[in-house]
Amino acid sequence: MTTRRDFLKKAFLGTTVLSLGNTFTNLNAKSYSHIIGSNDKIKIAAIGVHSRGAALATNFVKQKGCVITYVCDVDKRAAARCAAAVEKVQGSRPIEVTDFRKALDSKDVDAVIVATPDHWHALASLMAMQAGKEVYSEKPASYCPSEGEILIEAVKKYNRVYQIGTQRRSWPNVIEGIRSVQDGIIGNVYFGKAWYTNNRPSIGIGKETKVPDWLDWDLWQGPAPRRPYKDNIVHYNWHWFWHWGTGEALNNGTHMIDLLCWGMGLDFPTKVNAIGGRYYGNDDWETPDTQVINFDYNGKKSLTYEGRSCNSKTVEGNSVGVMFYGDKGSLLITGTNGYSVFDMDNKIIKEQYSQIAIDPRNLMNPAETLDAIHINNFFDAIRKGTKLHADVNIGHLSSLLMQLGNISTRVGHTLDIDPLNGHILHDEEADKYWTREYQPTFEMKL
Ligand SMILES: NC(=O)c1ccc[n+]([C@@H]2O[C@H](COP(=O)([O-])OP(=O)(O)OC[C@H]3O[C@@H](n4cnc5c(N)ncnc54)[C@H](O)[C@@H]3O)[C@@H](O)[C@H]2O)c1
């Protein structure tokens, strides 16, 4: 099979392509179709397959034109379960590995799915791009802001396709709702509200125990400086520890803030302030279970996010959603594939919802059929150079905004932000969170 790299090497020998410039983005769609032949299957390694990664791997193989060649997990049981699930669909069993670097070394991998815990997302994506692989990464793009900026550079440097898993970017009625906002259905939109609610149970107090024999704890920790193993971190609960996780703001807030920025055409704010904490129960959970983050855009527009991990009272009748407020009305996008438009008297003037069932509280796979559109957009970007619905800049922005919200929560004051690049201004205390301390040999190096 001809890889993009082989293709580019060949192409650069010819003057036609050179005269178009030497970047990936300058190649036309016809050129792209030579990269992976239209009959060749895209070979995929799924990295991190306990829950979301397994759902993605099986969804990927249900689509035309891909084969899962590797499943990689530091939990041997998860790898075996996912390999069996994939085998059922594709008829052949992927190779199971603990160390995903083996898959990156293989010619039988064109692209990777990254669905590890958050502290690994950016580094695994970077390593994959450096190995010449395309990347479908789960959100958030990064654990901390500096990693997102490195990813943007990496996509350019290594000429790779990078799709972030904010899959609502591909859901048809969500796209239509966003277009309606952009086309002025509710006039000038100056305020956006996002929310996420759930009834998450306590994670208890962890005990230091022997590392289970099914787990490679060292590789699970990867870029995070080493800590003793405790029995309430793996799996899933790492979300609520600052050392590995990024809290509900990046777990679910990223999806929603992304919609607000997309609809209102906003990127970096001028101020961010946030409050919140672990209010519910007494356990090891560190990140806020209750949080409000406000983003100010030069005093002209603003966004707000409310997260309640442990009280699921809905907002506007929906457990998760966004509302756009304009001078001619409001527009609601729910956690499903749909939207409602309200006039200034709160009357619904338009509604568009799909029949496809979605469970926004399903942690693993809330909307398989719709997510397939996002997956196929990734395939089309690899094969034909189709524009990605959620590229690395989009991934960085939604992650950065919520990271700034977490930073403001942790330092307890408002952050002034440079609207040109999203950096924190004149604030040593807050700037400490811009990057992280890395475990030696696991640093993010371009
Ligand atoms: N887009 C969505 O709708 C959506 C939905 C759910 C989860 N997610 C995201 O997916 C990611 C995974 O979430 P989850 O709920 O599946 O978490 P999880 O903890 O259940 O699973 C993560 C898996 O990654 C494995 N892992 C850890 N380090 C690894 C390494 N170095 N190499 C290979 N595997 C490694 C773990 O052993 C585990 O099996 C999270 O970042 C989450 O935010 C996205």
Side-chain angles (χ1 to χ4, degrees):
M1 189 192 69
T2 310
T3 65
R4 171 177 298 118
R5 191 136 294 177
D6 297 338
F7 169 73
L8 286 175
K9 265 192 219 145
K10 283 181 205 154
F12 287 146
L13 298 173
T15 50
T16 321
V17 175
L18 272 180
S19 69
L20 290 172
N22 66 355
T23 60
F24 176 63
T25 44
N26 280 337
L27 296 171
N28 59 30
K30 209 172 159 206
S31 311
Y32 275 112
S33 59
H34 291 90
I35 298 165
I36 291 181
S38 50
N39 294 322
D40 287 334
K41 295 201 166 195
I42 301 173
K43 297 172 187 161
I44 310 266
I47 306 173
V49 294
H50 171 248
S51 174
R52 180 60 178 170
L56 282 173
T58 46
N59 204 352
F60 267 64
V61 283
K62 283 180 190 165
Q63 312 310 313
K64 276 202 192 116
C66 100
V67 56
I68 305 276
T69 50
Y70 282 83
V71 294
C72 320
D73 205 296
V74 295
D75 173 353
K76 287 194 187 89
R77 307 163 313 168
R81 252 196 324 267
C82 179
V86 166
E87 185 179 12
K88 259 194 195 157
V89 186
Q90 73 179 15
S92 60
R93 193 171 176 102
I95 299 170
E96 293 152 49
V97 293
T98 301
D99 189 338
F100 72 84
R101 288 171 288 198
K102 286 194 187 130
L104 297 188
D105 285 343
S106 169
K107 286 204 171 58
D108 284 332
V109 175
D110 302 311
V112 300
I113 300 166
V114 177
T116 59
D118 299 2
H119 65 287
W120 254 114
H121 285 189
L123 181 58
S125 300
L126 174 65
M127 289 163 70
M129 289 192 267
Q130 286 170 333
K133 317 299 183 192
E134 323 299 348
V135 176
Y136 183 106
S137 170
E138 263 314 336
K139 36 53 58 180
S142 60
Y143 169 85
C144 56
S146 61
E147 291 185 346
E149 292 190 332
I150 293 173
L151 279 182
I152 290 175
E153 290 310 307
V155 169
K156 284 189 225 149
K157 181 170 175 184
Y158 303 109
N159 280 337
R160 293 296 111 192
V161 172
Y162 172 101
Q163 174 100 303
I164 190 77
T166 43
Q167 63 273 13
R168 285 172 181 78
R169 285 264 176 174
S170 293
W171 294 7
N173 290 336
V174 171
I175 294 172
E176 194 184 295
I178 293 288
R179 295 264 181 277
S180 305
V181 172
Q182 293 166 341
D183 292 347
I185 195 165
I186 53 168
N188 175 38
V189 185
Y190 48 77
F191 178 51
K193 181 168 80 183
W195 65 92
Y196 177 82
T197 65
N198 208 335
N199 276 335
R200 298 190 187 276
S202 167
I203 61 168
I205 308 285
K207 280 191 278 315
E208 273 187 40
T209 56
K210 192 170 157 281
V211 177
D213 57 6
W214 44 263
L215 180 69
D216 184 333
W217 176 233
D218 193 63
L219 209 49
W220 189 98
Q221 295 182 88
R226 297 297 173 257
R227 286 201 171 168
Y229 178 80
K230 281 191 178 181
D231 61 2
N232 68 343
I233 300 164
V234 176
H235 296 289
Y236 200 80
N237 288 345
W238 52 264
H239 274 295
W240 325 125
F241 293 89
W242 288 121
H243 196 60
W244 307 287
T246 51
E248 199 74 89
L250 282 100
N251 189 30
N252 281 293
T254 36
H255 285 295
M256 295 300 128
I257 214 71
D258 179 50
L259 296 182
L260 292 180
C261 289
W262 183 18
M264 292 169 69
L266 297 173
D267 48 37
F268 306 120
T270 45
K271 282 185 194 301
V272 178
N273 70 65
I275 49 167
R278 175 57 172 159
Y279 299 154
Y280 174 98
N282 254 335
D283 58 8
D284 287 342
W285 183 312
E286 296 170 350
T287 61
D289 61 41
T290 309
Q291 191 175 29
V292 176
I293 308 175
N294 300 310
F295 304 90
D296 176 45
Y297 287 82
N298 225 4
K300 302 281 184 216
K301 296 187 182 209
S302 60
L303 306 178
T304 188
Y305 158 80
E306 175 181 328
R308 269 182 284 109
S309 304
C310 302
N311 180 314
S312 66
K313 177 79 181 75
T314 56
V315 178
E316 303 283 353
N318 284 277
S319 61
V320 54
V322 295
M323 184 76 94
F324 295 92
Y325 298 90
D327 58 11
K328 294 199 170 65
S330 314
L331 189 146
L332 169 74
I333 297 182
T334 66
T336 66
N337 176 33
Y339 69 95
S340 307
V341 188
F342 303 83
D343 67 13
M344 295 298 267
D345 298 317
N346 280 324
K347 213 172 84 211
I348 293 180
I349 51 169
K350 188 176 178 194
E351 273 191 314
Q352 184 70 40
Y353 288 91
S354 80
Q355 299 310 310
I356 302 169
I358 294 174
D359 176 5
R361 294 236 175 90
N362 177 329
L363 299 180
M364 193 171 170
N365 201 14
E368 186 176 63
T369 320
L370 291 164
D371 294 358
I373 308 172
H374 208 51
I375 294 167
N376 280 299
N377 171 243
F378 176 60
F379 291 168
D380 288 347
I382 295 171
R383 282 220 167 78
K384 302 185 262 184
T386 303
K387 193 173 171 349
L388 286 165
H389 291 170
D391 66 16
V392 68
N393 296 298
I394 287 170
H396 175 56
L397 180 65
S398 58
S399 301
L400 173 67
L401 291 185
M402 301 320 261
Q403 283 158 349
L404 293 172
N406 277 344
I407 295 171
S408 172
T409 308
R410 295 179 85 175
V411 297
H413 60 246
T414 298
L415 310 180
D416 288 316
I417 306 297
D418 183 340
L420 294 177
N421 56 20
H423 281 234
I424 301 164
L425 294 170
H426 329 296
D427 193 333
E428 245 178 68
E429 186 189 0
D431 238 356
K432 281 191 201 132
Y433 295 103
W434 189 260
T435 187
R436 78 164 308 151
E437 190 193 333
Y438 285 89
Q439 175 72 14
T441 75
F442 287 91
E443 296 92 352
M444 290 276 297
K445 283 194 193 133
L446 256 188

